[in-house]
Amino acid sequence: ALAVLALAYGWWTTRIPAIDFTVVKEGTGPSPTDTDIALIKYKGALADGTVFDQQEQAPMPVGSVVPGFSQALKRMKKGGSYKIVIPPELGYGKEAKHDQSGKEVIPANSDLHFDVDLLDFRSRAEVEQMQQMMQQQMMKKMQKQSGQGGAPKGQ
């Protein structure tokens, strides 16, 4: 029975896909959770080096990205730099990804290679509160501007 258990464990552990996570520069503080929104700088490439996406500042809802990216974000710390490789099972799997014009940018069953800097992260509630405050400020500014555009005085 023990041999069967050992064999089953060996089969199970070789079947579980995992991300390759390398710390280039350690960050500080806590790591984001599924309910946070991370602000990252990143470059995503295929195994052959072809860059499929990159952003200087991109908000990423930690719990709403592909599983491998979510796992990686939850291991990062603010100010840190990381290299991650996401296997297809934790990325886009058997689905090819296309850009808006319909051109294939990520072939099916691709490993995804990312260079990521975690710039900051906030809870979803904090981000929504900040968005509401910005909307209120914009409304006040628009109301103020529309109230000042009358006819010239004194003529």
Side-chain angles (χ1 to χ4, degrees):
L2 198 53
V4 171
L5 257 173
L7 193 60
Y9 176 77
W11 176 83
W12 180 257
T13 57
T14 59
R15 297 277 186 239
I16 298 173
I19 62 171
D20 182 8
F21 184 87
T22 305
V23 177
V24 176
K25 177 185 147 207
E26 186 66 62
T28 58
S31 297
T33 66
D34 278 330
T35 58
D36 291 329
I37 296 176
L39 184 64
I40 63 169
K41 173 184 176 183
Y42 73 93
K43 178 173 76 171
L46 301 175
D48 67 4
T50 303
V51 175
F52 58 80
D53 194 11
Q54 61 185 11
Q55 299 279 329
E56 286 296 312
Q57 289 192 342
M60 292 282 166
V62 176
S64 301
V65 293
V66 295
F69 209 85
S70 180
Q71 284 178 22
L73 287 170
K74 290 185 279 189
R75 292 172 64 182
M76 296 179 185
K77 295 178 188 293
K78 212 181 288 188
S81 297
Y82 306 89
K83 289 188 177 295
I84 55 176
V85 180
I86 301 172
E89 299 87 349
L90 297 173
Y92 296 115
K94 297 175 183 173
E95 296 288 320
K97 286 293 173 192
H98 301 83
D99 65 15
Q100 293 164 335
S101 70
K103 178 184 170 222
E104 182 179 274
V105 289
I106 302 174
N109 298 309
S110 293
D111 284 342
L112 308 174
H113 297 253
F114 287 96
D115 294 323
V116 181
D117 294 344
L118 179 58
L119 305 173
D120 200 1
F121 67 92
R122 301 268 188 240
S123 72
R124 190 175 302 269
E126 282 180 288
V127 171
E128 288 171 0
Q129 186 178 18
M130 288 177 3
Q131 288 173 333
Q132 286 175 350
M133 286 173 54
M134 287 172 58
Q135 286 174 345
Q136 289 170 354
Q137 288 173 351
M138 287 295 288
M139 292 297 284
K140 286 179 185 177
K141 195 174 187 179
M142 289 170 58
Q143 289 169 349
K144 204 176 197 181
Q145 287 175 347
S146 65
Q148 294 175 349
K153 295 180 184 175
Q155 292 199 359

